[in-house]
Amino acid sequence: MINPKRIAMACFILLNLAIFVPNIYRSQVKITKLQKEICALKEAQANIKDKIESYDKEIESLKDINNREKMVRNKLQMVKHGEIIYRVTK
């Protein structure tokens, strides 16, 4: 003979599973999405740290007067007073 308490308990368990399983699945999907986003942000953070280090090195190199002069000559195309520049064109 089938026990009515067991049937009620089985229905209760199935009802709870039907209610909570979709929520658990959506939560798991959100967790994996957030973990991927965290990995992407950590990678971007590492790239930014590398850029900061390269900028710090560039700033340190500009403390030397010779490096500053070289940068001004190359990037800004400036010359010293009385200096003549010859440009070769094809």
Side-chain angles (χ1 to χ4, degrees):
M1 186 168 165
I2 300 174
N3 190 349
K5 286 186 179 182
R6 286 188 180 204
I7 292 175
M9 186 59 76
C11 288
F12 178 73
I13 291 172
L14 289 174
L15 181 65
N16 281 331
L17 284 175
I19 291 172
F20 292 116
V21 167
N23 291 334
I24 293 170
Y25 176 74
R26 280 193 296 270
S27 296
Q28 188 64 32
V29 169
K30 285 181 184 179
I31 288 170
T32 55
K33 186 177 179 181
L34 290 172
Q35 286 173 341
K36 288 179 183 178
E37 188 176 343
I38 287 171
C39 289
L41 290 173
K42 284 183 180 180
E43 191 173 308
Q45 182 183 26
N47 290 338
I48 290 171
K49 283 183 180 181
D50 290 341
K51 284 184 181 180
I52 289 171
E53 286 178 14
S54 69
Y55 291 145
D56 286 341
K57 287 179 185 177
E58 188 175 337
I59 289 170
E60 284 295 320
S61 71
L62 290 177
K63 288 183 180 177
D64 182 26
I65 188 76
N66 294 329
N67 288 335
R68 267 191 278 171
E69 183 179 338
K70 188 186 292 184
M71 192 231 12
V72 167
R73 286 174 175 271
N74 291 336
K75 289 186 179 179
L76 303 178
Q77 297 181 352
M78 296 182 81
V79 296
K80 288 183 179 180
H81 183 67
E83 196 174 47
I84 299 174
I85 294 181
Y86 296 99
R87 294 183 190 238
V88 179
T89 58
K90 291 183 179 183

